[in-house]
């Protein structure tokens, strides 16, 4: 570890093998994974169909570049457009890069309308990445500290507050877009009120703004739909994706529709590795497995089961503030900081996460079965009760 930059506070465990929702460390100990690489390994570890697709593509062609046509990139774009209702796609390597593409698209959209200082409305407690533009867009002071000066061109409002964003609309004529997570993940698994996205859509339509949805964590089946916005009766102008799209192989995407789909022209944006044959082969097979195994319905049912079981076991436990989520993105908010639960869970051979200081976050693979989910809930509840009673 001495030759690695000190950018992570890593847990003292090294995983060497995975299968389904299980991981094994270098001492042969088995762990139940309720984090899935932070919502990345939607098909679990080493899914046989995904493994086969990656190996076959690696033995055929890994990379050319976007100087040439890439057949699997075109196939992946077709599939994403089919399931999303969008018009076109740009491929990159990560969620931050997908959000960078969306931010650049919005700024160019504004300049094309004669707006010299195009401004994007973003949310408190949001997280969009760690590049300079995306950390500026994020509503998280911890990721911004030390990297000032931040970029201009963003105005921040409370998440789930239409009053605040309506005031912005009345007072700032440079706004060109709204960038928002349908469900905030890093911000504490925050689920908006039922008609929030519809109201944002209406406001954007009234003002000629783009509605840009960061679905990096919530997309690709995690919510129980292909995309979280599909729980609402709306269509966004831009969607950003990554995490679960490649089943563990790095890939990001920025999807656009209607006017937004016509903004970028050759030379406006690019990526050396984005959408190469290997990454696209992984993403295509990931989408195919989700569809063939009917995992969207499974995620809805299993997520409801887990939240109900959590609520029953933690009912009337002092210090449990709220249990919330959608599909297999689940948050358990406590009244006190609870970061130490991550290490305590590791000692119980369970992988979880704590975000926003007080929220236990569960992001299991979409393929997790009920008996495995029962173990996740039971161990998590035991740990929370022990922690709060100390």
């Amino acid at each position: 570890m001495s030759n690695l930059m000190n950018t992570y506070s890593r847990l003292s465990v090294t995983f060497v093998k995975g299968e389904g929702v299980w991981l094994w460390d270098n001492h042969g100990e088995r762990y139940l994974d309720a984090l899935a690489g932070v919502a990345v390994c939607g098909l679990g570890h080493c899914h046989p169909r995904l493994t086969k697709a990656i190996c076959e593509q690696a033995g055929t062609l890994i990379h050319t570049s976007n100087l040439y046509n890439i057949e699997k990139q075109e196939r992946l774009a077709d599939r994403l457009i089919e399931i999303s209702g969008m018009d076109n796609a740009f491929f990159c390597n990560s969620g931050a890069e997908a959000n960078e593409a969306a931010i650049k698209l919005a700024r160019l959209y504004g300049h094309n309308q004669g707006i010299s200082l195009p401004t994007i409305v973003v949310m408190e407690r949001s997280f969009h990445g760690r590049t300079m533009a995306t950390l500026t867009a994020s509503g998280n002071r911890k990721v911004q500290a030390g990297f000032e000066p931040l970029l201009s061109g963003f105005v921040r409002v409370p998440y789930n507050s239409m009053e605040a964003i309506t005031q912005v609309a009345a007072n700032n004529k440079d706004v060109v877009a709204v960038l928002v997570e349908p469900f905030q993940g890093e911000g504490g698994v925050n689920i908006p009120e039922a008609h929030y996205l519809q109201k944002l859509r209406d406001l954007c339509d009234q003002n000629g703004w783009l509605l840009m949805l960061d679905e990096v964590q919530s997309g690709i089946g995690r919510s129980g739909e292909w995309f979280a916005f599909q729980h609402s009766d709306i269509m966004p102008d831009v969607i950003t994706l990554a995490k679960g799209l490649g089943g563990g192989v790095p890939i990001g995407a920025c999807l656009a529709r209607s006017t937004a789909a016509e903004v970028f022209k050759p030379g406006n944006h690019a990526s050396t590795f984005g959408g190469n044959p290997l990454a696209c082969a992984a993403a295509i097979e990931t989408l195919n497995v989700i569809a063939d195994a009917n995992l969207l319905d499974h995620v809805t049912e299993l997520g409801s089961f887990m939240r109900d079981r959590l609520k029953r076991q933690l009912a009337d436990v002092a210090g449990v503030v709220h249990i919330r989520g959608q599909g297999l993105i689940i948050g358990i908010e406590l009244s006190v900081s609870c970061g130490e639960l991550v290490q305590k869970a590791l000692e119980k051979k369970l992988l979880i996460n704590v975000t926003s200081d007080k929220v236990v976050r569960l992001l299991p693979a979409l393929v997790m079965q009920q008996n495995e989910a029962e173990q996740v809930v039971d161990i998590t509840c035991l740990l929370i009760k022990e922690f709060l009673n100390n």
Side-chain angles (χ1 to χ4, degrees):
M1 296 294 289
S2 61
N3 290 327
L4 294 174
M5 283 193 182
N6 187 26
T7 55
Y8 299 99
S9 297
R10 301 179 194 263
L11 295 168
S12 57
V13 62
T14 301
F15 295 114
V16 297
K17 187 180 76 168
E19 182 178 337
V21 298
W22 299 95
L23 286 165
W24 284 262
D25 69 14
N26 54 348
H27 301 293
E29 297 288 337
R30 190 176 76 154
Y31 297 74
L32 180 54
D33 186 0
L35 194 56
V38 194
V40 168
C41 303
L43 302 184
H45 301 286
C46 299
H47 189 284
R49 282 181 53 178
L50 179 59
T51 300
K52 180 181 178 182
I54 292 170
C55 289
E56 288 181 352
Q57 188 61 50
T60 304
L61 181 65
I62 293 177
H63 180 80
T64 54
S65 85
N66 284 298
L67 296 174
Y68 316 106
N69 294 329
I70 299 174
E71 183 267 338
K72 279 194 165 56
Q73 187 181 113
E74 294 176 6
R75 282 178 53 195
L76 177 57
D78 290 346
R79 186 75 175 106
L80 287 172
I81 295 321
E82 176 188 355
I83 62 178
S84 68
M86 305 297 277
D87 289 338
N88 59 21
F90 169 82
F91 292 108
C92 51
N93 309 291
S94 68
E97 289 184 36
N99 284 326
E100 283 278 345
I103 290 166
K104 287 180 66 176
L105 188 155
R107 288 190 172 195
L108 186 55
Y109 169 80
H111 283 296
N112 290 344
Q113 295 181 326
I115 298 173
S116 59
L117 295 172
T119 299
I120 300 171
V121 178
V122 293
M123 307 297 156
E124 294 177 1
R125 303 181 73 179
S126 62
F127 182 81
H128 299 294
R130 292 183 181 271
T131 63
M132 282 306 301
T134 57
L135 70 83
T136 301
S138 296
N140 182 335
R141 183 58 193 150
K142 289 183 179 179
V143 305
Q144 298 169 342
F147 300 107
E148 299 84 356
L150 302 179
L151 303 185
S152 61
F154 297 93
V155 58
R156 198 173 313 284
V157 299
Y159 186 66
N160 207 26
S161 172
M162 287 306 302
E163 180 181 358
I165 198 169
T166 301
Q167 290 179 355
V168 170
N171 295 292
N172 191 326
K173 301 308 178 185
D174 290 331
V175 172
V176 296
V178 175
L179 175 61
V180 61
E181 298 157 282
F183 310 142
Q184 287 187 333
E186 294 292 329
V189 190
N190 301 313
I191 311 297
E193 64 180 26
H195 302 293
Y196 180 58
L197 290 184
Q198 181 63 64
K199 292 176 181 178
L200 285 179
R201 177 72 274 176
D202 293 343
L203 188 65
C204 288
D205 289 342
Q206 292 165 17
N207 290 278
W209 301 348
L210 301 179
L211 178 59
M212 308 196 303
L213 301 185
D214 179 343
E215 293 243 22
V216 169
Q217 185 167 134
S218 61
I220 315 300
R222 181 145 298 277
S223 74
E225 297 284 355
W226 282 113
F227 308 98
F229 81 84
Q230 291 171 332
H231 294 280
S232 305
D233 188 22
I234 67 151
M235 281 296 297
D237 299 296
V238 176
I239 306 170
T240 58
L241 302 169
K243 286 192 180 290
L245 180 56
V249 174
I251 184 171
C254 179
L255 312 184
R257 182 181 68 92
S258 189
T259 304
E262 302 171 358
V263 171
F264 280 152
K265 299 294 187 287
N268 287 148
H269 197 51
S271 171
T272 296
F273 295 103
N276 73 19
L278 182 67
C280 289
I284 290 168
E285 193 62 17
T286 296
L287 297 177
N288 287 342
V289 172
I290 291 173
D292 293 347
N294 197 24
L295 288 182
L296 300 183
D297 288 344
H298 174 72
V299 165
T300 298
E301 294 168 4
L302 190 66
S304 294
F305 169 80
M306 292 181 73
R307 291 191 301 277
D308 289 345
R309 192 177 181 93
L310 284 163
K311 289 174 182 178
R312 287 197 305 272
Q313 293 196 24
L314 296 175
D316 303 322
V317 175
V320 176
V321 176
H322 193 210
I323 298 168
R324 54 183 176 263
Q326 183 82 42
L328 289 178
I329 175 171
I330 299 171
I332 308 154
E333 183 178 355
L334 306 185
S335 59
V336 294
S337 300
C338 59
E340 65 189 78
L341 280 173
V342 175
Q343 176 62 40
K344 292 183 179 296
L346 186 70
E347 293 167 4
K348 297 284 189 182
K349 303 299 186 292
L350 174 68
L351 306 184
I352 63 170
N353 177 238
V354 168
T355 189
S356 195
D357 194 42
K358 298 179 181 179
V359 180
V360 176
R361 179 172 51 165
L362 304 177
L363 297 165
L366 312 187
V367 297
M368 179 171 278
Q369 297 303 303
Q370 183 170 314
N371 65 316
E372 296 159 338
E374 289 174 356
Q375 295 178 61
V376 171
V377 171
D378 293 351
I379 297 170
T380 301
C381 289
L382 176 63
L383 288 167
I384 289 173
K385 290 175 182 178
E386 291 176 348
F387 173 73
L388 291 173
N389 287 332
N390 285 338

